[in-house]
Amino acid sequence: MTAFGTAAGRPLQGRGGSPGFRFFLYAVFAVVIMYLDQRARYLEHVRFVLQAAAYPVQLVVSSPPSAWRWIRESFQTRESLRAENERLREQQRELELMSKRYEALAHENGELRGLRDALPPVAERWLPAEIISIQLSGLRQRLLINRGATNGVFKDQAVLDDLGLIGQTTHVGPWSAEVILITDPEHAVPVRIERTGLRTIAVGGGDGSSLALPYLPSNADIQSGDLLVTSGLGGVFPEGYPVARVTEVHRDAVQPLAQVRARALSHIDEDTEVMLVWFRTGHPASPAASAISATEVKSGNAGMQPLAAPPRASAAPAEAPAAKPPAAPADQAPARAVRRVPSPGTAPSPATAPPDDNSAQTAPPQAPATPAESPASPADTPTEPPRSRPQ
Amino acid sequence: MMTVGQMRFRIALTALVALILTVLPLPKWLDVLRPAFLVLTVLYWSINTPRAAGIGLGFLCGLVLDVFQGPVLGEHALALSIVAYIAVREHQRIRSKPAFQQSLVVFAVLVFYEFVVFAIDGWTGHPITSPLRWLHCLTGAFVWPMAAAILSYSEGRLA
């Protein structure tokens, strides 16, 4: 700022004063914008408009890869198509059988819990979305999808693929939305170890496929190969969706906490499509929106309701709003480039298919489905005390 | 000699190309090596036509960058304003240096730019601590002579 009004800033006699003065103005303006965006969240509408303006460029930029994908797909041979068709048909048959089983189990579960009817599935509506670009910005794990506010997408909405959790939306534009992946270091997802029921927080590892469980004591009952499912706390994801599998556990007698890493189940590198999910509000298995709404007993036994959420770990689901599905028309756009098979949007009973599909990945189909794996059962979460308190 | 208006049009065009190069999806290993094309472009125009470009260009380009990849609006805008200010202030000194020394200056400016972004990332609670984030300063300085040659062609110096 030494050049303020001195000869050093003089050689360009343009409008608006010396470079030092103009720089000062712009810097102040930038800081004000940053403050407004960060603290007060006044700029959500501005961001909405800017994201709409950026969308054409993003589309153009991502067109070469998608064009390449389209060319590759349209020149597939007849044999490979036939093989794929065969595989899809087999898989569909399997899924149908399993969904029958699932309905029976859900009914039985409902009866066991003394409800009059079996609960409807927690997922009310699915919407496939195409990935426009992966890794929006360098080392962050972000994603841009081609659905936005016009499709009813809202901020902090859960995003899945057919194998597991992908992330949640952070910024929503009119036709596009930004998704933060569960592997982003800024993201934390409340999970439960499926084998033991122990609850903890999984933080993104930052390398595209791994997560870390930093809040487990070193004597915690966890081992390599354990499945992590969402615990339903935190207000964004419902209970029971598969998240990751534990890959390594380091216990150090000196350290109070175990060092645990897990591998995300979703295959974001291979996906071309993800699923946006709307959950039923008031459903026992739907994400507990806040401590207040969680204590309000909607139906069933009061003792079976989800507990109030513990203090959340980090920035991720910071101020989670009540997951209110907007009453947008069910826009089940036909899948354009489905490579991985069971697109729940096209399955006969869309809402029930994916969880079972997931359990097929994680357990042999003939094994009795544990209540933890069917998303419509909040049964076991509240009964055991949270043995690990994050933070 | 071009008018300032014509010059600004060309600057906007090159900035758009640089933006597309910046947000083009690349494989991860290539992505960390990708030079900050938009920063180099702002730097070039601020050094060579400080009258038509300057701090306003830096601010605008930074704001666009924020929309595409910033965790907070205004982050890259501030960093690029600083870069443009340094370049405008020192444009005569930088312009008269040979290509290799220019590259060194560009490297220093890129490191400073990345430091500003890094600091704001940290303050706003979106830190990236991976050392890979500094790698683009090196590649940016490396491609600077080539980028400057291409941009000077677009300016009409050789044509």
Side-chain angles (χ1 to χ4, degrees):
Chain A
M1 217 58 59
T2 50
F4 199 91
T6 61
R10 261 307 124 83
L12 342 150
Q13 49 286 75
R15 288 156 296 160
S18 69
F21 181 64
R22 267 183 291 164
F23 168 67
F24 179 72
L25 284 187
Y26 280 120
V28 167
F29 189 39
V31 171
V32 168
I33 292 178
M34 262 189 279
Y35 178 79
L36 289 180
D37 195 27
Q38 172 79 6
R39 277 294 149 80
R41 315 232 169 243
Y42 285 136
L43 296 182
E44 279 299 321
H45 294 283
V46 179
R47 264 211 187 253
F48 189 79
V49 174
L50 287 176
Q51 195 156 356
Y55 188 53
V57 178
Q58 282 163 333
L59 265 189
V60 168
V61 157
S62 70
S63 58
S66 53
W68 168 243
R69 214 181 303 132
W70 182 81
I71 289 171
R72 217 177 38 190
E73 263 168 29
S74 48
F75 282 94
Q76 267 181 331
T77 58
R78 191 156 177 267
E79 281 73 45
S80 71
L81 279 179
R82 190 207 283 277
E84 190 183 355
N85 201 352
E86 193 71 25
R87 196 166 51 84
L88 286 173
R89 200 170 295 153
E90 221 164 83
Q91 200 146 0
Q92 197 207 344
R93 202 162 44 223
E94 226 167 84
L95 284 174
E96 260 173 37
L97 282 174
M98 268 193 291
S99 81
K100 297 256 159 53
R101 219 182 123 60
Y102 169 80
E103 272 162 31
L105 280 172
H107 190 75
E108 189 185 328
N109 198 12
E111 277 180 357
L112 283 175
R113 279 186 288 141
L115 300 179
R116 230 176 45 201
D117 287 311
L119 283 162
V122 61
E124 187 176 34
R125 190 155 84 81
W126 298 80
L127 182 66
E130 267 180 64
I131 297 173
I132 294 175
S133 75
I134 302 177
Q135 281 167 12
L136 279 178
S137 55
L139 296 160
R140 299 184 192 283
Q141 312 282 320
R142 304 291 162 98
L143 194 81
L144 192 76
I145 55 174
N146 72 341
R147 303 284 178 187
T150 50
N151 306 100
V153 177
F154 55 93
K155 196 170 182 296
D156 296 328
Q157 185 173 11
V159 181
L160 317 171
D161 76 353
D162 53 347
L163 294 179
L165 214 58
I166 284 197
Q168 65 189 79
T169 56
T170 50
H171 296 295
V172 180
W175 306 288
S176 62
E178 200 183 306
V179 176
I180 180 170
L181 304 184
I182 52 169
T183 53
D184 190 296
E186 282 179 45
H187 193 272
V189 49
V191 294
R192 180 161 53 82
I193 300 163
E194 202 250 352
R195 183 172 58 86
T196 59
L198 183 63
R199 270 178 289 182
T200 183
I201 304 263
V203 181
D207 60 358
S209 64
S210 80
L211 293 103
L213 276 64
Y215 307 115
L216 279 175
S218 56
N219 60 355
D221 182 10
I222 185 166
Q223 61 198 36
S224 180
D226 277 351
L227 179 71
L228 302 175
V229 299
T230 50
S231 67
L233 305 176
V236 176
F237 306 109
E239 190 253 326
Y241 279 86
V243 178
R245 202 170 274 287
V246 176
T247 49
E248 47 181 309
V249 181
H250 286 294
R251 288 175 220 271
D252 195 339
V254 185
Q255 302 279 340
L257 298 174
Q259 288 169 339
V260 185
R261 288 196 85 76
R263 202 176 167 73
L265 291 170
S266 58
H267 283 259
I268 198 62
D269 298 338
E270 299 161 23
D271 280 338
T272 56
E273 270 201 342
V274 294
M275 284 294 164
L276 288 157
V277 198
W278 282 262
F279 298 107
R280 260 174 240 282
T281 44
H283 194 287
S286 75
S290 65
I292 300 154
S293 74
T295 49
E296 283 173 5
V297 178
K298 297 287 196 313
S299 61
N301 185 353
M304 305 294 268
Q305 294 302 314
L307 292 178
R312 290 183 204 102
S314 68
E319 51 279 304
K324 281 205 190 79
D331 174 14
Q332 297 281 5
R336 243 212 293 154
V338 196
R339 276 199 291 130
R340 208 84 66 50
V341 189
S343 165
T346 53
S349 57
T352 55
D356 272 43
D357 165 44
N358 287 327
S359 70
Q361 298 285 345
T362 55
Q366 68 273 18
T370 55
E373 283 201 296
S374 71
S377 77
D380 58 344
T381 353
T383 49
E384 83 241 332
R387 265 171 281 173
S388 90
R389 283 274 164 171
Q391 286 170 341
Chain B
M1 210 48 205
M2 272 185 288
T3 64
V4 169
Q6 282 171 316
M7 206 61 238
R8 289 219 164 122
F9 178 71
R10 293 202 175 187
I11 290 173
L13 219 59
T14 54
L16 185 66
V17 172
L19 173 71
I20 287 175
L21 286 176
T22 306
V23 297
L24 198 69
L26 285 181
K28 193 165 184 179
W29 62 274
L30 214 61
D31 193 66
V32 294
L33 287 176
R34 161 166 38 199
F37 288 109
L38 202 55
V39 182
L40 293 183
T41 310
V42 168
L43 211 49
Y44 178 85
W45 292 120
S46 303
I47 291 169
N48 286 291
T49 61
R51 205 176 300 242
I55 301 152
L57 175 76
F59 183 83
L60 273 183
C61 288
L63 207 58
V64 171
L65 220 50
D66 280 326
V67 174
F68 278 92
Q69 40 184 232
V72 185
L73 279 185
E75 176 186 30
H76 292 89
L78 180 62
L80 263 179
S81 302
I82 297 175
V83 164
Y85 174 62
I86 295 172
V88 168
R89 245 194 76 146
E90 305 294 325
H91 71 279
Q92 281 167 332
R93 241 176 280 179
I94 300 172
R95 197 156 38 168
S96 58
K97 284 194 167 43
F100 176 69
Q101 289 181 27
Q102 274 191 10
S103 278
L104 287 184
V105 173
V106 167
F107 177 70
V109 171
L110 284 175
V111 168
F112 184 64
Y113 164 82
E114 193 58 39
F115 177 77
V116 173
V117 175
F118 177 66
I120 299 173
D121 270 353
W123 287 331
T124 55
H126 308 268
I128 297 180
T129 47
S130 162
L132 290 177
R133 70 176 296 156
W134 303 93
L135 214 54
H136 81 85
C137 305
L138 220 54
T139 53
F142 193 71
V143 302
W144 169 256
M146 207 161 44
I150 293 169
L151 286 169
S152 77
Y153 183 78
S154 83
E155 198 185 353
R157 289 213 172 159
L158 304 176

